[in-house]
Amino acid sequence: LQGIFVLGLPYALLHSGYSGLFLIILAAALCCYTGKILIACLYEENEDGQLIRVRDTYEDIANACCKKLFPKLGGIVVNVTQMMELIMTCILYLVVSGNLLSHSFPSVPVTEKTWSVIAFVTLLPCVFIKTLKIVSKLSQLCSLVHFIIILVVMTYCLTQIHQWSWAKFRLSIEFEDFLVSVGVIIFSYTSQIFLPTLEGNMKNPGEFRCMLNWTHFFACVLKSAFALSAFLTWGEETKEVITDNLPSFLQTVVNLCLLTKALLSYPLPFFAATEIAFACISRGNHPRYRSPLFALSVRGSLLLLTLLMAMFIPHFALLMGLTGSVTGAAMTFLLPSLFHLKLKWKKLAFSEKCADISVFILGFLCSLAGIVCSIKGLLEVFG
């Protein structure tokens, strides 16, 4: 919930004005809600009225919704969508790592792609990750580094508090710029892909809803405070990545922290992608699919794939925006609300049905707007 997207929030406020602050709060509420209804789809009531976990993954939920017409279609669509987003996320971390290293050491005669390869070498131990427990430790370190970055930026902003002015906020906004802001804000909260695995691995799954409420609340408070203080400090000069606004002596330190964060963030989507790959490959339950050597080769292949795509896909950021607009909106808004309506329709109150339908429509509009903006950007690049 506190990914690299957070560094783009001040820039989002530049283009969305006061409505951006409202969007940060609304996005937290909506993403928290879709997380809850997605997990609700994993459970069914037994004869005694007790909730029993009858499904384990996003794929299981999709197959349950499509079992009457196309028993496997839902799972295939979900798996393809998840894999696309997870692999794209891994590639993005490699691209970002190369970019940060090249900016941190501009005097070193090394290209950005070469820096990405150097960053990739540090990620090779990921092929040996077998459990979520290891990933959680790395994610904990990632969160620590993130808070250091936020602390450095906000401390600097507070030293400039005498320059703050609410007059910097825009009342009128450009529609296209506003759509970009919506994308940045909403997708800074997305975590639905990981939730079924996360809830299934919790010691006390009954605390999941409470955990989701508190994490989204604190994420909302931190994002709002960070975006607001940074925007009030730099105003119209706010850059796409706020760390670029920092003085040079702080910028190098923060860039190296961001590099550490990007590398520590990589294992989570990579682990999730390998789990999906294993689930798809080993359905036949053949003994060789359970061998350690086979598992190692699958992880190694996926790891290498992320490097090759980071190296050879031109204009990756724009393609990431296009893919994210489709997969991000689908996994965060469209599918959770659709699955919840399908599986729980008879038990839902009228207000819950209205809420799910509203979230679905909102997700569709966000996805459509993001696709249009991304395609427009690609057309401009390719002339």
Side-chain angles (χ1 to χ4, degrees):
L1 294 179
Q2 297 292 2
I4 287 177
F5 260 125
V6 173
L7 300 175
L9 290 180
Y11 186 74
L13 281 192
L14 173 64
H15 291 296
S16 58
Y18 286 102
S19 59
L21 290 173
F22 172 72
L23 278 171
I24 290 173
I25 299 168
L26 180 64
L30 288 175
C31 290
C32 183
Y33 174 74
T34 56
K36 289 176 183 176
I37 62 174
L38 179 67
I39 296 304
C41 293
L42 296 173
Y43 290 83
E44 295 289 349
E45 285 186 5
N46 62 10
E47 295 175 354
D48 300 323
Q50 295 177 319
L51 288 174
I52 305 295
R53 201 177 203 264
V54 294
R55 304 174 190 103
D56 293 317
T57 63
Y58 216 137
E59 180 190 4
D60 293 340
I61 297 170
N63 284 333
C65 291
C66 302
K67 64 180 180 181
K68 290 184 179 178
L69 294 175
F70 308 101
K72 299 294 181 182
L73 180 62
I76 293 169
V77 170
V78 164
N79 278 338
V80 169
T81 306
Q82 284 187 107
M83 283 297 287
M84 282 175 64
E85 183 160 344
L86 291 166
I87 293 295
M88 281 290 198
T89 303
C90 289
I91 299 164
L92 185 62
Y93 286 133
L94 276 177
V95 173
V96 166
S97 297
N99 181 269
L100 288 168
L101 279 167
S102 66
H103 281 82
S104 299
F105 306 103
S107 58
V108 180
V110 174
T111 63
E112 197 170 302
K113 287 187 177 181
T114 306
W115 279 122
S116 291
V117 174
I118 293 169
F120 171 79
V121 172
T122 66
L123 294 169
L124 289 176
C126 287
V127 298
F128 301 107
I129 294 176
K130 298 178 182 179
T131 65
L132 196 63
K133 186 171 284 188
I134 297 170
V135 177
S136 71
K137 298 294 182 187
L138 295 172
S139 295
Q140 197 170 28
L141 287 173
C142 178
S143 298
L144 180 62
V145 174
H146 181 83
F147 281 113
I148 292 170
I149 296 166
I150 297 294
L151 184 63
V152 170
V153 176
M154 288 192 70
T155 301
Y156 178 81
C157 290
L158 290 172
T159 64
Q160 306 297 312
I161 198 168
H162 58 279
Q163 298 180 5
W164 289 11
S165 171
W166 287 94
K168 293 177 181 178
F169 269 99
R170 297 167 62 181
L171 291 173
S172 59
I173 53 177
E174 294 288 334
F175 183 66
E176 195 168 306
D177 290 337
F178 178 72
L179 289 179
V180 174
S181 300
V182 171
V184 172
I185 291 168
I186 286 177
F187 296 121
S188 72
Y189 282 104
T190 55
S191 60
Q192 275 68 8
I193 284 180
F194 309 110
L195 293 185
T197 304
L198 180 64
E199 194 261 359
N201 280 273
M202 287 179 70
K203 287 184 179 179
N204 301 304
E207 296 177 355
F208 178 82
R209 292 175 70 89
C210 180
M211 177 275 291
L212 217 57
N213 287 336
W214 281 110
T215 49
H216 280 78
F217 171 76
F218 284 120
C220 178
V221 170
L222 194 61
K223 286 178 200 288
S224 300
F226 176 74
L228 191 59
S229 59
F231 176 70
L232 288 174
T233 300
W234 287 288
E236 292 292 327
E237 295 177 5
T238 301
K239 295 181 180 178
E240 286 188 49
V241 179
I242 199 61
T243 52
D244 291 342
N245 282 104
L246 292 170
S248 56
F249 71 93
L250 279 177
Q251 205 173 75
T252 303
V253 175
V254 171
N255 279 347
L256 290 174
C257 286
L258 282 171
L259 170 67
T260 306
K261 176 176 170 53
L263 295 175
L264 288 170
S265 297
Y266 185 98
L268 178 58
F270 178 75
F271 176 79
T274 55
E275 287 295 291
I276 293 169
F278 286 136
C280 293
I281 293 169
S282 61
R283 282 208 175 88
N285 209 27
H286 195 279
R288 73 183 180 91
Y289 293 148
R290 295 195 294 272
S291 71
L293 187 62
F294 177 77
L296 203 64
S297 64
V298 170
R299 294 193 196 101
S301 300
L302 278 174
L303 198 69
L304 189 60
L305 175 66
T306 62
L307 176 66
L308 293 174
M309 291 180 74
M311 291 289 97
F312 300 111
I313 293 181
H315 310 297
F316 177 77
L318 287 170
L319 288 171
M320 179 71 186
L322 180 59
T323 307
S325 297
V326 178
T327 61
M331 302 303 289
T332 306
F333 295 121
L334 300 178
L335 295 181
S337 53
L338 189 64
F339 292 162
H340 195 232
L341 286 168
K342 170 68 177 173
L343 294 173
K344 307 289 182 180
W345 179 265
K346 293 180 180 178
K347 297 177 182 178
L348 293 178
F350 178 74
S351 59
E352 291 175 310
K353 292 177 183 177
C354 288
D356 286 355
I357 292 168
S358 299
V359 169
F360 182 86
I361 293 169
L362 182 63
F364 176 77
L365 293 175
C366 285
S367 180
L368 187 64
I371 290 168
V372 170
C373 288
S374 300
I375 290 175
K376 186 178 177 182
L378 283 169
L379 290 174
E380 287 174 0
V381 168
F382 289 109

